[in-house]
Amino acid sequence: MIKIIGAIFILLSTSWAGFELSKVLTERPKQLRSLKSALQYLEAEITYSHTPLHEAARKISSQLTSPVSLIFDSFSRKLTKEEISVRRAWEESLDVIWKVTALKKEDYEILKQFGQTLGRHDIVTEQKHIRLAMLHLEREEVEAAEKQKKYERMTKSLGFLTGLLLIILLL
């Protein structure tokens, strides 16, 4: 009886691990799409509404889902409550929130480069930098969607099969 309970526990835990790994593959394309939407909102706010950066970031954070909304919320708060440069506020916001995202280092580098130009140029140049960042995020999203399609089912199955292997080895 104890062996059966242990076997079930092993199978459930390894299956859960497989599902958690596949969740990262599922979340990354969603978060990249959310970031692209955020940059589109930012472009509209800066280009057409001439909204100050901290207010635009606050508006964007209220329109998005977590964890991407947290980046813009933190960015907005840092700009309004601290004497800090736009670049530093953006990087600190990324660093704080990054741990709870499913995004990769490549995505971080794109966003970090974007933050280095944010708030430093005229509206037309800002728009060009926003579109360039969106283009890079689009490329990463396509790659992430391909990886999801390719590996999501495999990681779920691998978790279950690893559990079965452990059970067989332990019996």
Side-chain angles (χ1 to χ4, degrees):
M1 182 67 169
I2 293 176
K3 284 185 179 184
I4 293 173
I5 292 172
I8 291 172
F9 180 72
I10 289 171
L11 191 59
L12 288 175
S13 62
T14 57
S15 295
W16 174 77
F19 275 83
E20 284 299 311
L21 285 173
S22 73
K23 184 179 174 184
V24 171
L25 292 170
T26 304
E27 285 299 311
R28 184 170 177 238
K30 288 179 187 176
Q31 290 175 11
L32 286 168
R33 274 190 297 278
S34 186
L35 277 168
K36 282 183 1 192
S37 294
L39 293 181
Q40 287 173 334
Y41 292 143
L42 185 63
E43 179 184 15
E45 290 291 332
I46 289 173
T47 305
Y48 305 112
S49 301
H50 302 287
T51 308
L53 199 51
H54 67 89
E55 191 177 322
R58 185 186 50 76
K59 285 181 182 179
I60 291 168
S61 74
S62 68
Q63 296 174 353
L64 299 173
T65 58
S66 184
V68 174
S69 66
L70 298 174
I71 295 170
F72 286 90
D73 182 53
S74 173
F75 179 58
S76 174
R77 280 188 281 111
K78 285 182 183 298
L79 288 176
T80 55
K81 294 191 170 122
E82 299 177 23
E83 286 294 319
I84 192 170
S85 69
V86 172
R87 177 179 167 227
R88 187 156 169 86
W90 180 254
E91 286 181 13
E92 287 180 10
S93 298
L94 283 178
D95 291 341
V96 169
I97 308 302
W98 200 258
K99 297 170 190 90
V100 297
T101 69
L103 300 171
K104 301 237 182 219
K105 185 177 181 185
E106 299 87 22
D107 311 326
Y108 178 83
E109 290 302 320
I110 291 168
L111 292 172
K112 186 176 175 187
Q113 280 182 345
F114 167 71
Q116 291 174 351
T117 63
L118 193 58
R120 300 179 121 201
H121 303 283
D122 60 30
I123 291 173
V124 174
T125 308
E126 286 286 345
Q127 188 177 30
K128 288 178 183 177
H129 286 291
I130 291 170
R131 288 189 178 170
L132 180 63
M134 286 180 0
L135 188 67
H136 288 303
L137 290 174
E138 174 72 32
R139 184 189 71 230
E140 292 298 323
E141 181 191 352
V142 168
E143 181 184 307
E146 288 173 2
K147 280 186 179 180
Q148 176 190 1
K149 199 184 305 181
K150 192 173 184 181
Y151 297 116
E152 182 180 24
R153 197 169 71 213
M154 181 186 71
T155 56
K156 289 177 182 177
S157 300
L158 194 58
F160 179 77
L161 293 173
T162 301
L164 285 179
L165 178 65
L166 281 173
I167 292 168
I168 291 169
L169 290 174
L170 293 174
L171 290 178

